[in-house]
Amino acid sequence: MSKKNVLLKVILLGDGGVGKSSLMNRYVADRFDSQSFHTIGVEFLNRVLEVDERLVTLQIWDTAGQERFKSLRTPFYRGADCCLLTFAVNDLQSFQNLGCWKKEFMYYSDVKDPERFPFVVLGNKVDMEQRKVGVEEARAWCEENGCCPYFETSAKDDTNVTAAFEAAVREVLAAEDQIDHALLSSTIDLHGNRKTSRSSCC
Ligand SMILES: Nc1nc2c(ncn2[C@@H]2O[C@H](COP(=O)(O)OP(=O)(O)OP(=O)(O)O)[C@@H](O)[C@H]2O)c(=O)[nH]1
Ligand SMILES: [Mg+2]
């Protein structure tokens, strides 16, 4: 039997220079460039993967983190299924800005159910020595912000990169399963209602 292929859009957000493009390129092309250029606007790449026996085309949207490109990136937030909030563990400011990124995403994406929207947080550049953000501090932020999963990554060393993107897919599929379940329950309810109205009217 052929497997159903779903298309999921995930979006990488975070300060300029934290490593968003590097994470995407490591995951999709298994490449790392130590002298990459700042992104202007947005770029996307696809990768097909299998998660829990489901075929998924993951469409990764990489955005420009620099403030001057804000108007070029925000129109692409709509339709995202998951948002990967990224900071660099050696850059305290990029961690402190996570809340601003979340707010910006919520404002422009216009998601239907903000409480349940899946976020994953990535603390990148763990290969670097001058760490400014501790793992517990990062986990605490995730806990206070909807219990989103946290991954410490290195695009350079290929640490946890696959795990982080797969977690994003799992978060989306789990959220969709919840919606399917809710829809199924309301279908049953509707049946029940129809039966009730029949018996009272006809
Ligand atoms: N040591 C180390 N360097 C990294 C890592 N990830 C990215 N870099 C380097 O950090 C710099 C910025 O990386 P980018 O991937 O361009 O950052 P970005 O978040 O896409 O930046 P913008 O496009 O401006 O938003 C580059 O010189 C990368 O080589 C990592 O995991 N470890
Ligand atoms: Mg970039």
Short mmCIF file of all heavy atoms in Angstrom, two decimals, residues 19 21 59 68 82 84 92 115 118 135 149 158 161-162:
data_model
loop_
_atom_site.label_atom_id
_atom_site.label_comp_id
_atom_site.label_asym_id
_atom_site.label_seq_id
_atom_site.Cartn_x
_atom_site.Cartn_y
_atom_site.Cartn_z
N GLY A 19 22.81 30.97 13.07
CA GLY A 19 23.08 29.72 12.35
C GLY A 19 21.88 29.07 11.70
O GLY A 19 21.90 27.87 11.41
N SER A 21 20.61 29.41 8.58
CA SER A 21 20.91 28.89 7.23
C SER A 21 21.84 27.68 7.33
O SER A 21 21.69 26.71 6.57
CB SER A 21 21.59 29.97 6.39
OG SER A 21 20.79 31.11 6.33
N GLN A 59 9.25 21.20 4.21
CA GLN A 59 9.65 22.42 3.49
C GLN A 59 10.19 23.39 4.54
O GLN A 59 9.43 23.88 5.38
CB GLN A 59 8.43 22.99 2.80
CG GLN A 59 8.76 24.07 1.80
CD GLN A 59 7.53 24.41 0.98
OE1 GLN A 59 6.66 25.13 1.46
NE2 GLN A 59 7.45 23.90 -0.22
N ARG A 68 16.76 44.82 9.61
CA ARG A 68 16.48 45.57 8.37
C ARG A 68 15.71 44.74 7.33
O ARG A 68 15.17 45.30 6.38
CB ARG A 68 17.76 46.14 7.77
CG ARG A 68 18.77 45.11 7.35
CD ARG A 68 20.12 45.76 7.13
NE ARG A 68 21.18 44.77 7.03
CZ ARG A 68 21.95 44.64 5.99
NH1 ARG A 68 21.81 45.41 4.94
NH2 ARG A 68 22.91 43.73 5.98
N CYS A 82 5.00 24.76 11.85
CA CYS A 82 5.83 24.73 13.07
C CYS A 82 6.87 25.83 12.95
O CYS A 82 7.31 26.17 11.85
CB CYS A 82 6.52 23.36 13.19
SG CYS A 82 7.54 23.18 14.66
N LEU A 84 10.63 27.11 14.34
CA LEU A 84 11.85 26.76 15.05
C LEU A 84 12.52 28.04 15.52
O LEU A 84 13.07 28.79 14.71
CB LEU A 84 12.79 25.98 14.12
CG LEU A 84 12.26 24.63 13.62
CD1 LEU A 84 13.03 24.16 12.40
CD2 LEU A 84 12.35 23.59 14.71
N LEU A 92 24.13 35.75 24.31
CA LEU A 92 23.05 35.94 25.28
C LEU A 92 21.90 36.75 24.68
O LEU A 92 20.73 36.42 24.89
CB LEU A 92 23.61 36.65 26.52
CG LEU A 92 22.61 36.88 27.66
CD1 LEU A 92 22.03 35.57 28.17
CD2 LEU A 92 23.28 37.65 28.80
N GLU A 115 -2.66 28.96 21.16
CA GLU A 115 -2.28 28.21 22.38
C GLU A 115 -1.60 26.88 22.03
O GLU A 115 -0.73 26.43 22.75
CB GLU A 115 -3.54 27.90 23.21
CG GLU A 115 -4.21 29.12 23.80
CD GLU A 115 -3.33 29.80 24.84
OE1 GLU A 115 -2.85 29.08 25.73
OE2 GLU A 115 -3.11 31.02 24.74
N PRO A 118 2.69 24.57 17.45
CA PRO A 118 3.95 23.95 17.86
C PRO A 118 5.20 24.80 17.59
O PRO A 118 5.43 25.24 16.46
CB PRO A 118 4.00 22.66 17.04
CG PRO A 118 2.97 22.76 15.99
CD PRO A 118 2.12 23.97 16.24
N VAL A 135 22.09 25.29 29.75
CA VAL A 135 21.04 24.39 29.29
C VAL A 135 19.79 24.50 30.17
O VAL A 135 18.65 24.49 29.68
CB VAL A 135 21.56 22.94 29.14
CG1 VAL A 135 22.07 22.38 30.46
CG2 VAL A 135 20.51 22.03 28.55
N PRO A 149 9.75 21.62 22.96
CA PRO A 149 10.98 20.84 23.03
C PRO A 149 12.21 21.73 22.80
O PRO A 149 12.14 22.72 22.05
CB PRO A 149 10.85 19.84 21.88
CG PRO A 149 9.43 19.87 21.46
CD PRO A 149 8.88 21.20 21.86
N ASP A 158 27.38 18.85 13.19
CA ASP A 158 26.20 18.00 12.93
C ASP A 158 25.70 17.34 14.22
O ASP A 158 25.42 16.14 14.25
CB ASP A 158 26.51 16.95 11.85
CG ASP A 158 25.23 16.36 11.25
OD1 ASP A 158 24.13 16.86 11.58
OD2 ASP A 158 25.33 15.41 10.48
N VAL A 161 21.10 17.91 14.76
CA VAL A 161 20.39 18.65 13.70
C VAL A 161 19.20 17.83 13.18
O VAL A 161 18.07 18.32 13.13
CB VAL A 161 21.36 19.04 12.55
CG1 VAL A 161 20.61 19.79 11.45
CG2 VAL A 161 22.50 19.91 13.10
N THR A 162 19.46 16.58 12.85
CA THR A 162 18.38 15.71 12.38
C THR A 162 17.31 15.56 13.46
O THR A 162 16.11 15.66 13.19
CB THR A 162 18.94 14.32 12.00
OG1 THR A 162 19.91 14.53 10.98
CG2 THR A 162 17.86 13.39 11.48
#
